[in-house]
Amino acid sequence: CNIHQRSFDPLSNMTITSFVLKGHKESVNCLDYQQGNSALLLSGSDDSTARLWDLRTSKTALCVRTPGPVTSAAFAPGKEAGELQSAFAKNHSV
């Protein structure tokens, strides 16, 4: 499963940015952006991984495997760039 992101300018109806992130093998359940750092994106998937993406390169910077599907993942407010708060899997936490 790929993550497709597009940003549009509503006045001109033109695409401002567009990218595809390839890595997850199953459905993506959650996404979170790092406040104050638009270069990082966090995703969680049914493939039992949480991935930290570097949007400058469109590549996975970190992949964390969990015991089950990741249903929620978030950056901790006020933490250093890239420090994850948590990634939760069904009936497990990481």
Side-chain angles (χ1 to χ4, degrees):
C1 183
N2 299 328
I3 299 171
H4 299 265
Q5 191 276 338
R6 287 190 183 120
S7 298
F8 290 98
D9 177 355
L11 298 176
S12 66
N13 200 28
M14 295 186 67
T15 300
I16 298 170
T17 60
S18 178
F19 57 84
V20 177
L21 303 175
K22 297 179 181 181
H24 285 296
K25 305 296 183 213
E26 295 186 33
S27 297
V28 173
N29 297 318
C30 53
L31 296 171
D32 191 28
Y33 281 96
Q34 172 83 42
Q35 291 260 342
N37 186 349
S38 60
L40 297 177
L41 177 72
L42 178 62
S43 62
S45 170
D46 282 341
D47 65 5
S48 301
T49 65
R51 289 178 181 264
L52 180 65
W53 300 91
D54 183 337
L55 300 180
R56 296 166 295 196
T57 63
S58 297
K59 295 187 188 255
T60 300
L62 175 68
C63 180
V64 178
R65 299 207 180 278
T66 66
V70 179
T71 57
S72 177
F75 287 100
K79 296 290 184 181
E80 294 297 317
E83 187 173 343
L84 306 183
Q85 178 179 3
S86 57
F88 295 98
K90 257 187 200 171
N91 302 320
H92 301 89
S93 65
V94 175

